[in-house]
Amino acid sequence: MNHASKNTIAENIKSIRSQVAAAEKKYGRQPGSVQLLAVSKTRPIEDVEAAFAEHQCHFGENYLQDALPKIAAISDSAITWHFIGPIQSNKTRQIAENFDWVHGIERLNIAQRLNEQRDPTIKPLNVCIQVNSSNETSKSGVSFAEAIELAKSIHLLPNLHLRGLMTIPAATNDFEQQRQPFRLLRELKDKIHSQGIKLDTLSMGMSNDMEAAIAEGSTLVRIGTAIFGQRN
Ligand SMILES: *Cc1c(COP(=O)(O)O)cnc(C)c1O
């Protein structure tokens, strides 16, 4: 595997941190209000270790079989693992047992399974509902109306903690166009909030649209390429 060197990863993390801080300042966001999630999918354990050495503590993984060996190898309680990929129902048990966060909830039955399979004696599993913010049939995520209904149901599940909304908009390089779906997601979060369901997370922004997401209120950016280099 062609992966970034330890030094490159360290430099990239410093650079992303300063870009996040600059965007917080530019758009009137509180310093430190945007969390950096390092997306380590497909990357070897050494890359996660290199990032952890820079005090990067939140990691995102998409593929369960790829993630489990890394979680086992780096069983440091300082690391928070986020499952950000599509969820098959036969994988929910291992996700509930090994992760702290799940970002891609699109169906109530998946949420119910995670709720049943999460050990009730540990902290609830943090979850976000994945919303289709670009109105494309090919993109994953629920509609805005479905998200409100799903939020009401998930809110009642005791072993899950509904934290907020996640989206992956259609890719574009136009900054104003990038902002639009993120703005819609923020408005949806406010709407759900006004119905009595407290949400504190907007999981939005990747390497190519991080600044637009922060401008629109992102609280967590999911960054892979800009930290670890291009994936094969
Ligand atoms: C791969 C992935 C990312 C990271 O994307 P980059 O463009 O590499 O920063 C973020 N979120 C999700 C859900 C992903 O699958």
Side-chain angles (χ1 to χ4, degrees), residues 39 41 62 84 166 168 206-208 222-226 231:
V39 177
K41 65 180 176 202
N62 290 50
I84 63 173
M166 181 272 225
I168 309 173
M206 312 200 289
S207 296
N208 198 40
R222 308 178 310 268
I223 307 296
T225 309
R231 285 179 294 275

Side-chain angles (χ1 to χ4, degrees), residues 113-181:
R113 286 178 69 94
L114 290 168
N115 178 63
E116 278 158 24
Q117 293 162 346
R118 181 71 169 181
D119 177 353
T121 67
I122 61 173
K123 271 198 223 156
L125 185 62
N126 297 297
V127 300
C128 292
I129 295 169
Q130 185 169 353
V131 179
N132 179 348
S133 57
S134 303
N135 242 336
E136 279 180 39
T137 46
S138 62
K139 293 276 162 187
S140 41
V142 299
S143 71
F144 284 60
E146 286 166 334
I148 296 172
E149 292 312 307
L150 200 48
K152 288 178 185 164
S153 305
I154 293 175
H155 182 57
L156 302 173
L157 300 175
N159 302 323
L160 302 187
H161 182 184
L162 178 63
R163 299 295 296 267
L165 307 174
M166 181 272 225
T167 196
I168 309 173
T172 167
N173 286 321
D174 182 88
F175 185 71
E176 287 308 315
Q177 256 176 283
Q178 286 179 350
R179 285 184 69 153
Q180 238 171 47

